[in-house]
Amino acid sequence: MGRNWEWSYKQGRIKRLKAEIAAKQSGEPFDANQIPLHSYDGTMQSKFQRGWQSVCETDIQCRLNGHNTYQQVRQRLAETFGERHE
């Protein structure tokens, strides 16, 4: 995959996360099927769309709860379920 393709994929994820979080915080509905135009180039738009669609509810909840890394999420789950990690 070329660098521009990777960039478009990442931009799809970034834009979706920002849009989802803004919608949840404002109480507005969000339609994940309304994918914005990123590029007139078909391949770039396709990579953006794949990035957009790769965002899952866990990604959104992690951002809303202020957890940006896997370790933070793991620690929060351990605290929630009473597990100890040494």
Side-chain angles (χ1 to χ4, degrees):
M1 184 170 14
R3 287 184 189 176
N4 288 336
W5 295 356
E6 290 177 36
W7 180 81
S8 289
Y9 180 87
K10 289 177 183 176
Q11 288 301 304
R13 286 188 56 81
I14 291 167
K15 300 259 173 130
R16 167 83 182 271
L17 283 167
K18 286 182 180 181
E20 285 260 10
I21 290 168
K24 287 191 183 283
Q25 289 176 338
S26 67
E28 297 290 322
F30 181 80
D31 183 7
N33 294 320
Q34 296 289 334
I35 302 169
L37 178 66
H38 169 71
S39 174
Y40 288 106
D41 180 271
T43 302
M44 298 289 276
Q45 182 64 27
S46 173
K47 298 298 179 182
F48 179 86
Q49 182 175 342
R50 286 184 184 184
W52 179 275
Q53 292 173 336
S54 73
V55 174
C56 65
E57 188 62 30
T58 303
D59 296 325
I60 297 161
Q61 290 302 318
C62 287
R63 297 287 195 238
L64 285 172
N65 294 328
H67 302 298
N68 294 323
T69 65
Y70 171 76
Q71 288 82 11
Q72 289 174 326
V73 172
R74 186 175 179 189
Q75 180 181 357
R76 181 170 173 259
L77 289 172
E79 290 170 359
T80 300
F81 295 108
E83 297 177 9
R84 289 181 44 216
H85 293 282
E86 297 177 21

